[in-house]
Amino acid sequence: MKVFVAHFNAECNEHISHIVNRDDFHFLYGDDCVKAMKVEDIFNKNDIEVIPSLYANTSPNGMIGKETFDYICECILNPLKEHLSEIDGIYLQFHGASGVDGLDCISGEHYLVKEMRKIVGKYMPIAMVMDPHGNLTEELSNQLNIVRCFRESPHFDTVETRRKVAELLCDLMLHRRVMKPIIRKLPIMVGGERSVSANEPVRSINQLLDEAEKDPRVFSTSFHVGFIRHDDDKLGAAVVVVPNTMNDIDYCNEVADRISQYTWNHRHEFKFTGNFDEVDKSVETALNYPEKTVVITDSGDNCGAGGYGQNTIVLREMLKHKTDKKVLFAGINDPKSYDIISKCKTGDKLTLNVGVEEDENSKSTTLEGTLKAIGKQQKGFSSDFDLGKSYLFNIKDTNIDVIIMNDNIQYGTMEQFDAANAPFHDYDIVVVKMGYLDTYLIPETKFHIMALSDGPTIQRSERIPFKMIARPMWPMDEFEDLYFIK
Ligand SMILES: [Zn+2]
């Protein structure tokens, strides 16, 4: 037997002006595609040969350009047509949060799966593994035979879940039976910072899912948080239960209703965790904290979720205060200032207008100061992701340093701070472009506060003016009775 595979991963934020093009994607084909998907051994063990198409992966960013999406479709649909007579099933790793500029249905996944179903007909088994921050509708679910997302956010169970779904698909391919997911689309729309799986209500929802999955009548279950960064009629959370056989449908309907009702009853527990506050209060709290190192996360401009790192809101707020504290902004993305400072040497005095002036959030501020240190800017841990030099700018008459960047780099590891010659623990306060505190910063941080700043990754989703979503929708609307979005 043979299985056709594809990987398409994109989280598209329409509040980011950049249109994602081919250069923003990491594309792999053939054997490289198969290797990157990390499931070949599972299919092979079941005597199923893998037929690759495309591995397309990009970091969270803006909407995808139509030409780029057309290319992705070609790379998946053409080989599918070519191998149609050989294949026995389809395995997809599709995120669910893509948005395509100029595509009527907006969602790339919805479009692609529909096209694939047209090619292979009604009965070819298709399994899809998603990110919980993707949008799943009844329409999409109806095209699939198995759909399952990761349980954990942050997603430390990504590979494990992808492998689990591969196992499930092998089972279905080897023992063909009628299989169709049951979906309950919930009128709940919350961002990732309100749905961390270590906290309630997701922790308990996951327990219910795990328990349900132990029953042989239940083939798989998942809870989809959904994605809120572009306006789309597919937004909202979802509970999915896949019955093992046709005889298990009634029982699985009960399970889906029970978990949906639990989620609805506990919706008020979807809230920010830890310390959070408005920007002015967050800065004040950080300045008053007696110990170090304090971290402020600029959550409206979270580079890990596609923010461009160009907003100056927190910097401007900090400059309103007179403080002797040592403060590091890591960093501000401003290519023009980067260009100017890159022509200087350590110790040079200069004036920078920091801020790209794209909108109110990235308003520039004129700063006199000194180029304090030159280092390396890198993403993540290693120099494999070396992105040129980094420039540490000290603001005159203060202990405030700013890393001037020319890319949307998220500072989250000690290695990165060291490479920039701005060791994390040299500072009392460090401001990073992040939402919840990333794993590697937690043990290093004495006190953390999430600043609820405006920007492309704004956490107060109630403030985003959605037009296309189903209404009523919680928390935009307060209402008592659960209904399912159709
Ligand atoms: Zn996610």
Side-chain angles (χ1 to χ4, degrees):
M1 281 206 274
K2 293 182 183 178
V3 64
F4 180 87
V5 303
H7 174 108
F8 170 46
N9 190 76
E11 244 186 69
C12 302
N13 183 332
E14 70 178 6
H15 310 290
I16 290 167
S17 54
H18 178 72
I19 294 291
V20 173
N21 57 49
R22 283 198 207 192
D23 293 339
D24 296 310
F25 268 97
H26 182 53
F27 290 127
L28 297 171
Y29 314 85
D31 287 347
D32 295 331
C33 162
V34 175
K35 260 192 211 120
M37 290 180 69
K38 298 191 171 78
V39 289
E40 188 183 25
D41 57 316
I42 293 170
F43 289 112
N44 288 169
K45 171 179 91 184
N46 288 288
D47 283 326
I48 298 170
E49 188 190 322
V50 174
I51 299 184
S53 59
L54 179 71
Y55 179 95
N57 191 55
T58 183
S59 309
N61 207 319
M63 302 294 270
I64 301 169
K66 187 69 170 52
E67 184 273 338
T68 300
F69 182 65
D70 288 345
Y71 174 73
I72 290 169
C73 291
E74 259 171 51
C75 292
I76 295 175
L77 300 177
N78 289 350
L80 179 62
K81 286 176 200 155
E82 205 179 298
H83 293 281
L84 185 57
S85 62
E86 305 161 59
I87 62 173
D88 304 279
I90 296 177
Y91 171 81
L92 305 173
Q93 295 174 350
F94 281 7
H95 186 294
S98 75
V100 182
D101 190 43
L103 182 72
D104 286 345
C105 76
I106 306 170
S107 157
E109 292 85 354
H110 279 71
Y111 177 85
L112 257 169
V113 171
K114 204 169 163 185
E115 291 304 305
M116 295 179 93
R117 186 51 89 188
K118 271 189 216 162
I119 294 167
V120 301
K122 284 191 270 186
Y123 306 115
M124 171 86 65
I126 305 183
M128 175 161 146
V129 53
M130 296 178 71
D131 186 293
H133 303 117
N135 289 318
L136 180 67
T137 60
E138 194 172 318
E139 182 200 353
L140 177 55
S141 170
N142 282 344
Q143 314 272 358
L144 302 165
N145 303 94
I146 300 167
V147 59
R148 169 80 147 77
C149 67
F150 325 138
R151 290 266 199 271
E152 308 294 346
S153 302
H155 311 315
F156 54 81
D157 60 336
T158 304
V159 174
E160 182 193 318
T161 309
R162 287 175 176 163
R163 292 175 65 81
K164 186 183 168 69
V165 174
E167 296 270 11
L168 295 177
L169 179 61
C170 289
D171 184 330
L172 179 60
M173 287 170 69
L174 297 170
H175 311 281
R176 287 291 299 267
R177 55 205 189 270
V178 176
M179 184 173 285
K180 193 182 150 198
I182 291 168
I183 177 172
R184 298 285 185 263
K185 182 85 179 155
L186 309 179
I188 296 176
M189 239 176 79
V190 290
E193 267 68 9
R194 286 189 209 186
S195 50
V196 174
S197 58
N199 303 323
E200 295 299 350
V202 181
R203 187 167 55 179
S204 292
I205 295 169
N206 281 346
Q207 274 172 8
L208 293 174
L209 297 171
D210 285 341
E211 273 160 34
E213 249 176 26
K214 283 183 196 152
D215 192 298
R217 292 170 286 184
V218 178
F219 198 56
S220 107
T221 58
S222 48
F223 174 66
H224 301 249
V225 175
F227 185 70
I228 63 168
R229 300 291 172 205
H230 54 255
D231 201 359
D232 189 336
D233 62 358
K234 297 160 198 70
L235 271 55
V239 169
V240 173
V241 181
V242 183
N244 190 15
T245 72
M246 271 166 61
N247 298 330
D248 306 321
I249 291 173
D250 288 347
Y251 175 70
C252 288
N253 267 308
E254 277 170 38
V255 173
D257 284 334
R258 187 161 45 81
I259 298 175
S260 299
Q261 193 62 52
Y262 179 90
T263 306
W264 180 249
N265 294 347
H266 292 259
R267 66 192 181 282
H268 295 284
E269 292 170 20
F270 285 110
K271 53 188 180 198
F272 304 117
T273 50
N275 310 298
F276 57 90
D277 215 328
E278 299 304 325
V279 173
D280 52 349
K281 293 276 183 271
S282 299
V283 168
E284 233 176 83
T285 306
L287 285 170
N288 289 330
Y289 197 81
E291 289 170 78
K292 70 181 207 180
T293 298
V294 173
V295 171
I296 301 176
T297 49
D298 183 359
S299 65
D301 191 21
N302 176 1
C303 290
Y308 257 60
Q310 61 190 18
N311 290 354
T312 54
I313 302 172
V314 184
L315 176 63
R316 284 182 279 131
E317 185 58 38
M318 185 66 77
L319 291 170
K320 290 180 191 165
H321 296 264
K322 267 250 162 275
T323 180
D324 291 333
K325 291 222 166 175
K326 295 183 80 178
V327 182
L328 173 67
F329 281 82
I332 306 277
N333 179 13
D334 178 357
K336 261 192 201 155
S337 292
Y338 185 91
D339 221 41
I340 294 167
I341 202 167
S342 68
K343 295 190 175 76
C344 299
K345 41 186 204 310
T346 309
D348 281 1
K349 296 194 178 342
L350 68 157
T351 301
L352 293 175
N353 293 311
V354 176
V356 297
E357 294 269 345
E358 193 181 277
D359 55 22
E360 182 61 29
N361 304 326
S362 56
K363 238 171 78 178
S364 89
T365 177
T366 304
L367 301 172
E368 281 181 63
T370 312
L371 172 53
K372 188 172 163 181
I374 300 173
K376 281 188 213 146
Q377 51 178 13
Q378 60 184 42
K379 276 190 175 168
F381 287 105
S382 75
S383 47
D384 295 352
F385 300 96
D386 207 339
L387 295 163
K389 285 180 178 164
S390 74
Y391 298 93
L392 187 66
F393 178 73
N394 171 255
I395 302 172
K396 193 183 161 188
D397 299 329
T398 73
N399 290 321
I400 302 174
D401 294 343
V402 183
I403 298 174
I404 305 291
M405 317 189 288
N406 66 344
D407 204 339
N408 63 335
I409 298 166
Q410 183 177 64
Y411 277 79
T413 67
M414 294 302 112
E415 288 83 348
Q416 285 177 294
F417 290 103
D418 292 344
N421 275 317
F424 182 83
H425 291 293
D426 279 7
Y427 294 90
D428 297 301
I429 301 171
V430 176
V431 184
V432 289
K433 301 288 191 182
M434 203 176 269
Y436 47 67
L437 202 59
D438 268 14
T439 326
Y440 304 110
L441 282 187
I442 292 170
E444 310 286 345
T445 301
K446 190 81 190 172
F447 177 79
H448 161 234
I449 188 156
M450 181 165 78
L452 298 174
S453 45
D454 286 343
T457 59
I458 183 171
Q459 291 304 317
R460 292 222 191 272
S461 42
E462 300 90 322
R463 286 190 197 155
I464 308 172
F466 291 100
K467 301 289 184 204
M468 288 170 70
I469 59 168
R471 301 300 283 264
M473 180 74 81
W474 189 84
M476 286 77 190
D477 307 301
E478 264 311 334
F479 54 108
E480 275 314 306
D481 294 328
L482 168 63
Y483 79 101
F484 297 124
I485 300 172
K486 288 285 169 192

